[in-house]
Amino acid sequence: MKRATVIFITAAILAACCPRQSSTPVYLDPTKPLEERVEDALQRMTLEEKVAITHAQSKFSSAGVPRLGIPELWHTDGPHGIRPEVLWDEWDQAGWTNDSCTAYPALVNLAATWDRELSALYGKCIGEEARYREKDILLGPGVNMGRTPLNGRTFEYMGEDPYLAAQLVVPYIKGVQEQGVAACVKHFAVNNQETRRTKTNSNVDDRTLYEIYFPAFKAAVQEGGAWAIMGSYNLWNGQYNCHNKRLLQDILKDEWGFDGVVISDWGGCRDDDEAAANGLDIEMGTWTNGLQGAASNTYDMYHLANPYLERLRDGRATEEGLDDKARRVLRTIFRTAMNPVQNFGSFTSPEHFAASRKIAAEGIVLLKNGGALPLRVDEISPRASLGRDDKPTILLVGENAYKMMVVGGGSSNLKAKYEVIPLDALREAFEGKADVVWERGYVGDTRTDYNAVVTGQDLSESRSPEQLKADAVAAAKEADIVIFIGGLNKSKFQDNEGTDRVDIVLPYGQDELIEALAEVTPNLIVVNISGSPVAMPWADKVNAIVQAWYGGSESGHALADVLTGAVNPSGKLPFTMPKALADGPIKTERQYPGIEVEGVPYWEEYYDEGVFIGYRWYSSKDIPVQYPFGYGLSYTSFELSGAFLTKKVVKAGSNVTAKVTVKNTGDKAGAEVVQLYVNDAEASVERPVRELKGFQKVYLAPGEARTLSFTLNPEDLSFFDADAHEWKLEPGDFHILIGTSSEDLPIDLLLTVK
Ligand code: GLC
């Protein structure tokens, strides 16, 4: 029975059994303002009922108020799709047969689209699936910055730049919440690695926080109106982030005006007194003492359960503090489960799969093209040297042409209704025109069962690595077109929650295999499927390189769309592709993964690189990279012209507008992402030589041109002055740099701030 019906029946019963009530109680009246409903419900609740709604009652639900007909809150992972149902108090699958979802692309794939409208579409679709599955809180999106390419959860986040992540997270949140589902933006904050994530203290200065690690969360709250934020497992300045007073109370709630709920990461709540006092509103969990294990169904032992009740009764905790928590939880219930606008969502609809395919394709990045792409389905002719006149042969080499990747990776693991693999999609695309064959080439991850979500594939392999490589090279000699499809996967030490990678070198001997294939293939095409950067030492030896991602249910179709030219690639890298890990800003153990300090009960990690992460580092230090942030090619070409500033000299405090015309100078429709970076010619602090402060993605027909406007506000030009605790715009010259990647900025407009 739909929740709305239950609510109204409850109201009717209440009205009937309480004759003195002339009308529906305010909290049950959907026409009443939200805050009135909250206050009315709050004053009807007992102390025990208020405490009950501040913590988990099962693995993925927190209590409502049964007596008043106020429903419980159902939480669900994850950022890429609605996680299959688990048992009440276990991580094990519940074995339902109605919860196979649409798998959407990994968030790094969404980030690579640089498309705000696609992000809104993504949020809408995943919100509809959450609503249909009667979930109230979606545990996503994640917007932790790409401080190190080794972070195991890079695939779940939106890259290395705060402006890109902030601009894309806002429409996603709005899309989700328009369905009456709360987006729970995570993991707040500076949770930039998986190594010892529950016992590492991030030491970060305020300027770095406000310029790099906060913007996406601040935008989520102030522009996206996020209804929930997830506290992260790690510590910041010596306090666990699930109950970090400065982070949650002073900054998030007081400074930014957040009126929703702070939810702990599962088991991230570690202390009774801090849980009661420091801004945590719902304690969710795995166990009660910080992931150390406990008996099942111990929800009464949670920090915000009986221990909290004791503190309220003996005065160590205040009822005022409890009321603040309870108000926030009630507000969330009235925004979701009891939302006046009853959405019913939809699940695994054709529209959802179409959206998933479109987003996946729009985020695929063409890194190099010596002419081998797009594959002209009707023009492929057998390689003359092979002296054959039958149908051409297209050889795919690599485990990722076959292995299903929606599963695994940790909490974003999904049971999808289906997942199209590249091999099947390319066979479809070349049906009747070419034979598409596959050689595994290497063995990566043979797992096909992730927490009882099974793919049905058989990834077992009897051949030795040498044999696998020999078979692939032999097949390449006989093929007309060879496409290597490899990269990373969702196993440990790859793109996976709970562990970090150990290097950015491709695993499983792929580099050697690619080199061997390039020896025998004149125009080798390499597709790297990963959620994080990889080194490409063979880049000069292959004809074309495509960066594809974990694209979800339609990933194979999306890749085929781009390889065949059905979709003109328009993705841009959301992070730098370095030549080597050592080129990056992290040089010491104390920077990453942290060090042990005598007498300190956790690991200490120091963000010594400050604001210089990603392209901020490489460009400021003139370190060459394989492919830069914001880079991506197209099957057509674009030209920028006519750029100017509406005002060349401005008073500090006023906005400035830059204009530029972009034209499609090629013969195919396509999209370009015009990017604007700011350079402060002289500053009292060391600033990155460029910082992204504007981008627009434009789809243009051949020959079509469009003039774009970018308006910069004073904060866009400023740095954060930690001592004054405010953004500071120093007078002087600025260079407004415009182009199509962080290293291709042909337009340099001089702006003087008085
Ligand atoms: C996990 C993750 C978090 C997830 C939660 C529930 O540990 O850190 O992202 O939403 O627990 O599965």
Coordinates of all heavy atoms in Angstrom, one line a residue, residues 59-60 76-79 83 91 139-140 153 156-157 186-187 191 194 197 230-231 233 264-267 286 291 410-412 497, ligand 1:
K59 N 19.8 -2.0 9.2 CA 21.0 -1.7 8.4 C 20.8 -0.5 7.6 O 21.7 0.3 7.5 CB 21.3 -2.9 7.5 CG 22.6 -2.9 6.7 CD 23.8 -2.9 7.6 CE 24.0 -4.2 8.3 NZ 25.0 -4.1 9.4
F60 N 19.6 -0.3 7.0 CA 19.4 0.9 6.2 C 18.1 1.6 6.5 O 17.6 2.3 5.6 CB 19.4 0.4 4.7 CG 20.8 0.2 4.1 CD1 21.4 -1.0 4.1 CD2 21.6 1.3 3.8 CE1 22.6 -1.2 3.6 CE2 22.9 1.1 3.3 CZ 23.4 -0.1 3.2
T76 N 19.4 4.4 1.1 CA 19.9 3.4 0.1 C 21.1 4.0 -0.5 O 21.2 5.1 -0.9 CB 18.9 3.1 -1.0 OG1 19.4 2.1 -1.9 CG2 18.5 4.3 -1.8
D77 N 22.1 3.1 -0.7 CA 23.2 3.4 -1.7 C 22.6 3.3 -3.0 O 21.5 2.6 -3.2 CB 24.3 2.3 -1.5 CG 25.1 2.6 -0.2 OD1 25.4 3.7 0.1 OD2 25.3 1.6 0.5
G78 N 23.3 3.7 -4.1 CA 24.4 4.5 -3.9 C 24.4 5.6 -5.0 O 23.4 5.8 -5.7
P79 N 25.5 6.1 -5.3 CA 25.5 7.2 -6.3 C 25.2 6.8 -7.7 O 24.9 7.7 -8.5 CB 26.9 7.8 -6.1 CG 27.7 6.7 -5.5 CD 26.8 5.8 -4.7
R83 N 20.8 0.3 -4.7 CA 21.4 -0.9 -4.2 C 20.4 -2.0 -4.0 O 19.3 -1.7 -3.5 CB 22.2 -0.6 -2.9 CG 23.0 -1.8 -2.4 CD 23.8 -1.3 -1.2 NE 24.8 -2.3 -0.7 CZ 25.8 -2.1 0.1 NH1 26.0 -0.9 0.6 NH2 26.5 -3.1 0.5
W91 N 24.6 -7.4 6.0 CA 24.9 -6.9 4.7 C 24.5 -7.8 3.6 O 24.5 -7.5 2.4 CB 26.5 -6.7 4.6 CG 27.0 -5.5 5.4 CD1 27.7 -5.6 6.5 CD2 26.8 -4.1 5.1 NE1 28.0 -4.3 7.0 CE2 27.4 -3.4 6.1 CE3 26.1 -3.4 4.1 CZ2 27.4 -2.0 6.2 CZ3 26.1 -2.0 4.1 CH2 26.8 -1.3 5.2
L139 N 22.1 7.7 -0.7 CA 23.5 7.9 -0.1 C 24.5 8.3 -1.2 O 25.3 7.5 -1.6 CB 23.9 6.7 0.7 CG 22.9 6.4 1.8 CD1 23.3 5.0 2.4 CD2 22.8 7.5 2.9
G140 N 24.3 9.5 -1.7 CA 25.2 10.0 -2.8 C 24.6 11.3 -3.2 O 23.5 11.7 -2.7
R153 N 38.3 5.3 -4.3 CA 36.9 5.7 -4.7 C 36.9 6.8 -5.7 O 35.8 7.5 -5.8 CB 36.1 6.0 -3.4 CG 36.0 4.8 -2.5 CD 35.1 5.2 -1.3 NE 33.7 5.0 -1.6 CZ 32.8 5.1 -0.6 NH1 33.1 5.3 0.6 NH2 31.5 4.9 -0.9
E156 N 33.9 7.1 -7.8 CA 32.6 7.5 -7.2 C 32.5 9.0 -7.1 O 31.5 9.5 -6.6 CB 32.5 6.9 -5.9 CG 32.1 5.4 -5.8 CD 31.7 5.0 -4.4 OE1 30.7 5.5 -3.9 OE2 32.5 4.3 -3.8
Y157 N 33.6 9.7 -7.4 CA 33.6 11.2 -7.2 C 33.7 11.9 -8.5 O 33.7 11.4 -9.6 CB 34.8 11.5 -6.3 CG 34.8 10.8 -4.9 CD1 35.9 10.5 -4.3 CD2 33.6 10.5 -4.3 CE1 35.9 9.8 -3.1 CE2 33.6 9.9 -3.1 CZ 34.7 9.5 -2.5 OH 34.7 8.9 -1.2
K186 N 28.3 13.2 0.1 CA 29.3 12.6 1.0 C 30.6 12.7 0.4 O 30.8 13.1 -0.8 CB 28.9 11.1 1.2 CG 28.9 10.2 -0.1 CD 28.3 8.8 0.2 CE 28.4 7.9 -1.1 NZ 27.8 6.6 -0.8
H187 N 31.7 12.4 1.1 CA 31.8 12.1 2.6 C 32.5 13.3 3.2 O 33.6 13.7 2.9 CB 32.7 10.9 2.8 CG 32.2 9.7 2.0 ND1 32.5 9.5 0.7 CD2 31.4 8.7 2.4 CE1 31.9 8.4 0.3 NE2 31.3 7.8 1.3
N191 N 37.9 13.3 3.1 CA 38.1 11.9 3.1 C 38.6 11.5 1.7 O 37.8 11.2 0.8 CB 36.7 11.3 3.4 CG 36.7 9.7 3.3 OD1 35.7 9.1 3.2 ND2 37.9 9.1 3.3
E194 N 41.3 5.7 0.9 CA 40.6 4.6 1.5 C 41.5 4.0 2.5 O 41.1 3.3 3.5 CB 40.2 3.6 0.5 CG 39.0 4.1 -0.4 CD 37.8 4.5 0.5 OE1 37.2 3.5 1.1 OE2 37.5 5.7 0.6
R197 N 41.0 4.6 6.4 CA 40.0 5.7 6.3 C 39.3 6.0 7.7 O 38.8 7.0 7.9 CB 39.0 5.5 5.2 CG 38.2 4.3 5.4 CD 37.1 4.1 4.4 NE 36.4 2.9 4.5 CZ 35.2 2.6 3.9 NH1 34.7 3.5 3.1 NH2 34.6 1.5 4.1
M230 N 26.6 13.4 4.6 CA 27.1 12.3 5.3 C 28.5 12.6 5.9 O 29.4 13.1 5.2 CB 27.3 11.0 4.4 CG 27.7 9.8 5.2 SD 28.1 8.4 4.1 CE 26.5 7.9 3.6
G231 N 28.6 12.5 7.2 CA 29.9 12.7 7.9 C 30.8 11.5 7.5 O 30.4 10.4 7.3
Y233 N 34.3 9.0 7.7 CA 35.0 8.1 8.7 C 36.2 8.8 9.3 O 36.5 8.5 10.5 CB 35.4 6.9 8.0 CG 34.4 5.8 7.7 CD1 34.3 5.3 6.5 CD2 33.5 5.4 8.7 CE1 33.3 4.3 6.2 CE2 32.6 4.4 8.5 CZ 32.5 3.9 7.2 OH 31.5 2.9 7.0
S264 N 25.7 9.8 9.9 CA 27.1 9.3 10.0 C 27.3 8.3 8.9 O 26.4 7.6 8.4 CB 27.3 8.6 11.3 OG 26.5 7.3 11.3
D265 N 28.6 8.1 8.5 CA 28.9 7.0 7.6 C 28.7 5.8 8.5 O 28.7 5.9 9.7 CB 30.3 7.1 7.1 CG 30.5 6.2 5.9 OD1 29.7 5.3 5.7 OD2 31.4 6.5 5.1
W266 N 28.5 4.6 7.9 CA 28.1 3.5 8.6 C 29.1 3.0 9.6 O 30.2 2.5 9.3 CB 27.7 2.4 7.6 CG 26.3 2.3 7.3 CD1 25.4 1.3 7.4 CD2 25.5 3.4 6.8 NE1 24.1 1.6 7.0 CE2 24.1 2.9 6.6 CE3 25.7 4.8 6.5 CZ2 23.1 3.7 6.2 CZ3 24.7 5.6 6.1 CH2 23.4 5.0 5.9
G267 N 28.8 3.2 10.9 CA 29.8 2.9 11.9 C 30.8 4.0 12.2 O 31.7 3.8 12.9
T286 N 27.1 0.1 11.3 CA 27.4 -1.3 11.1 C 27.4 -1.9 12.5 O 26.7 -2.8 12.9 CB 28.7 -1.5 10.4 OG1 28.6 -0.7 9.2 CG2 29.0 -2.9 10.2
L291 N 32.9 0.2 14.0 CA 33.4 -0.8 13.1 C 34.2 -1.9 13.8 O 35.0 -2.6 13.1 CB 34.2 -0.2 11.9 CG 33.5 0.9 11.1 CD1 34.6 1.6 10.2 CD2 32.5 0.2 10.2
G410 N 32.5 -2.0 -3.8 CA 32.1 -1.6 -2.4 C 30.7 -1.3 -2.3 O 29.8 -1.9 -3.0
S411 N 30.4 -0.2 -1.6 CA 28.9 0.1 -1.4 C 28.2 0.6 -2.6 O 27.0 0.7 -2.6 CB 28.8 1.2 -0.3 OG 29.5 2.4 -0.7
S412 N 28.9 0.9 -3.7 CA 28.2 1.3 -4.9 C 27.9 0.1 -5.8 O 27.5 0.2 -7.0 CB 29.1 2.3 -5.7 OG 30.3 1.7 -6.1
E497 N 36.2 0.6 -3.1 CA 36.1 1.2 -1.7 C 36.9 0.3 -0.7 O 36.8 -0.9 -0.8 CB 34.6 1.2 -1.3 CG 34.4 1.7 0.1 CD 33.0 1.7 0.5 OE1 32.1 1.6 -0.4 OE2 32.7 1.8 1.7
Ligands
GLC1 C1 30.1 2.8 3.4 C2 30.5 4.0 2.6 C3 29.4 5.0 2.3 C4 28.1 4.1 2.1 C5 27.8 3.5 3.5 C6 26.5 2.6 3.5 O1 31.1 2.5 4.3 O2 31.6 4.8 3.0 O3 29.7 5.7 1.1 O4 27.0 5.0 1.7 O5 28.9 2.8 4.1 O6 26.8 1.5 2.6

